[in-house]
Amino acid sequence: MSLFPSANDFKAGPGVEKDTPRKTGVGRFFELVGRDMSGMFLANLITCLGFAPVICLVYIGFLMNSLPVMVLSAAVGGILAGPVLAGMYDTVLRALRDEAGYWWMTYRKAFKRNFRASILPGVLYCVVVTTQIFLVYFCFNMLYHGTNVGLPMWVGVVLNLVLFHMLFSYMWPQVVLLDQPLSRTLKNSLNCMIAFLPHALAASLVTIIFWGLVILCMPLGLLLMLVFGFWFSCEICCQIVYGDLNKVFHIEENIKKLRDAELEAELAAERSEDEASDEPQ
């Protein structure tokens, strides 16, 4: 199972602070919320704005009762939704790595760096989620009108939800952290799903349950989306899978190597300038 990238595959970013004992579980969640809530909340607002077009376009297709229109709308809207969701994941992953820095400066740089790489994953994500919403609505709508679609259909819908969100739990962090084609990202995500099945399943269930509640609470769900929305589910899911990703991809070790290499290059440049200034004219 070829999962391990080289150090050159990692995207450059700010350095990692010296290791300190980290809390786990609920304690870690509240530590990050208390320390990085402002950045995560602002990133969440930007993500909500980025998803507004795809939500509106898909809703138009829903009113037309046309799955092809919904899927096409999702694909178009995913062009913007992908980069803003990548920005959300970048913010959360930096918090999990305990990286110091001003949120807006790091977010802006990460957004530009990840923009092109996150478009195709964004299209895929929006198309899949839109199709899933349509299938769930179809099943419940048929049941409401007195027709049961049958056990195989229900099992297929549930497996579709669980498996794809297991995949996405490992896909988005790789989009943010690694320079690699989407095919390799999906292959790695599938391998991680199998290798860390309990964690993948837990992250998937968190996403499904949370967004299911948001949808069921509509129109109040719009307020929940603005306040909690993407940062809440993203933080919990990343906290669940981050240890697996760090174990497989050596995230912090490779980022530290990049930081050390950048520092060494800066020092070498300064030494060259000093030597040039010391030469006799």
Side-chain angles (χ1 to χ4, degrees), residues 264-276:
E264 181 62 30
E266 290 177 0
L267 291 175
E270 290 180 1
R271 285 196 294 267
S272 298
E273 291 178 359
D274 291 339
E275 290 173 0

Side-chain angles (χ1 to χ4, degrees), residues 74-134:
V76 173
I79 295 173
L80 178 59
V84 294
L85 188 56
M88 182 76 255
Y89 270 87
D90 181 82
T91 299
V92 171
L93 289 168
R94 287 178 187 277
L96 285 168
R97 296 198 302 270
D98 297 317
E99 284 194 4
Y102 294 104
W103 171 78
W104 175 242
M105 293 177 63
T106 54
Y107 181 91
R108 185 176 57 186
K109 291 179 181 178
F111 184 86
K112 292 179 180 178
R113 186 175 65 246
N114 296 322
F115 186 84
R116 292 182 62 183
S118 58
I119 289 176
L120 191 55
V123 171
L124 173 66
Y125 179 81
C126 289
V127 168
V128 169
V129 171
T130 297
T131 305
Q132 290 175 336
I133 293 173
F134 179 85

Side-chain angles (χ1 to χ4, degrees), residues 1 3-5 10 22 93 96 166 169-171 173-174 177-178 188-189 191-204 236-252:
M1 184 168 66
L3 286 173
F4 300 87
F10 278 79
R22 291 176 178 171
L93 289 168
L96 285 168
M166 289 169 65
S169 296
Y170 289 97
M171 181 189 79
Q174 291 183 69
L177 293 168
L178 302 175
N188 289 346
S189 301
N191 289 332
C192 286
M193 283 170 54
I194 298 170
F196 308 107
L197 185 60
H199 290 172
L201 181 59
S204 176
I236 294 178
C237 290
C238 283
Q239 190 173 333
I240 292 171
V241 304
Y242 181 71
D244 306 332
L245 293 166
N246 194 38
K247 182 186 300 183
V248 171
F249 298 111
H250 308 287
I251 295 169
E252 298 189 13

Side-chain angles (χ1 to χ4, degrees), residues 5-280:
S6 66
N8 292 331
D9 289 332
F10 278 79
K11 297 180 179 180
V16 180
E17 295 296 309
K18 290 184 178 180
D19 292 335
T20 55
R22 291 176 178 171
K23 297 179 181 179
T24 58
V26 177
R28 178 65 167 164
F29 173 81
F30 283 107
E31 178 187 30
L32 297 182
V33 169
R35 187 189 67 197
D36 300 303
M37 182 64 226
S38 60
M40 289 192 289
F41 181 73
L42 291 171
N44 181 72
L45 291 180
I46 295 176
T47 308
C48 289
L49 289 174
F51 267 81
V54 69
I55 293 172
C56 293
L57 290 172
V58 169
Y59 187 63
I60 292 172
F62 176 78
L63 293 176
M64 295 171 61
N65 198 28
S66 173
L67 178 59
V69 173
M70 292 175 66
V71 170
L72 179 60
S73 300
V76 173
I79 295 173
L80 178 59
V84 294
L85 188 56
M88 182 76 255
Y89 270 87
D90 181 82
T91 299
V92 171
L93 289 168
R94 287 178 187 277
L96 285 168
R97 296 198 302 270
D98 297 317
E99 284 194 4
Y102 294 104
W103 171 78
W104 175 242
M105 293 177 63
T106 54
Y107 181 91
R108 185 176 57 186
K109 291 179 181 178
F111 184 86
K112 292 179 180 178
R113 186 175 65 246
N114 296 322
F115 186 84
R116 292 182 62 183
S118 58
I119 289 176
L120 191 55
V123 171
L124 173 66
Y125 179 81
C126 289
V127 168
V128 169
V129 171
T130 297
T131 305
Q132 290 175 336
I133 293 173
F134 179 85
L135 290 174
V136 172
Y137 169 78
F138 172 78
C139 291
F140 278 104
N141 187 54
M142 294 294 289
L143 191 62
Y144 176 78
H145 288 91
T147 303
N148 193 340
V149 295
L151 183 61
M153 181 67 175
W154 282 106
V155 171
V157 169
V158 171
L159 286 177
N160 181 284
L161 283 168
V162 172
L163 292 176
F164 268 106
H165 287 287
M166 289 169 65
L167 185 78
F168 291 145
S169 296
Y170 289 97
M171 181 189 79
W172 280 110
Q174 291 183 69
V175 171
V176 170
L177 293 168
L178 302 175
D179 282 318
Q180 60 185 16
L182 180 59
S183 58
R184 184 177 176 187
T185 297
L186 293 175
K187 179 182 177 181
N188 289 346
S189 301
L190 182 61
N191 289 332
C192 286
M193 283 170 54
I194 298 170
F196 308 107
L197 185 60
H199 290 172
L201 181 59
S204 176
L205 292 177
V206 166
T207 302
I208 294 169
I209 293 172
F210 176 78
W211 286 107
L213 289 173
V214 170
I215 293 173
L216 287 174
C217 291
M218 287 296 180
L220 179 61
L222 292 174
L223 178 62
L224 293 175
M225 199 163 122
L226 287 172
V227 177
F228 295 100
F230 296 92
W231 78 261
F232 183 79
S233 58
C234 180
E235 198 284 334
I236 294 178
C237 290
C238 283
Q239 190 173 333
I240 292 171
V241 304
Y242 181 71
D244 306 332
L245 293 166
N246 194 38
K247 182 186 300 183
V248 171
F249 298 111
H250 308 287
I251 295 169
E252 298 189 13
E253 177 184 341
N254 281 287
I255 290 178
K256 185 177 185 299
K257 289 179 180 178
L258 284 173
R259 182 194 180 192
D260 292 343
E262 289 173 355
L263 180 60
E264 181 62 30
E266 290 177 0
L267 291 175
E270 290 180 1
R271 285 196 294 267
S272 298
E273 291 178 359
D274 291 339
E275 290 173 0
S277 62
D278 291 338
E279 289 180 0

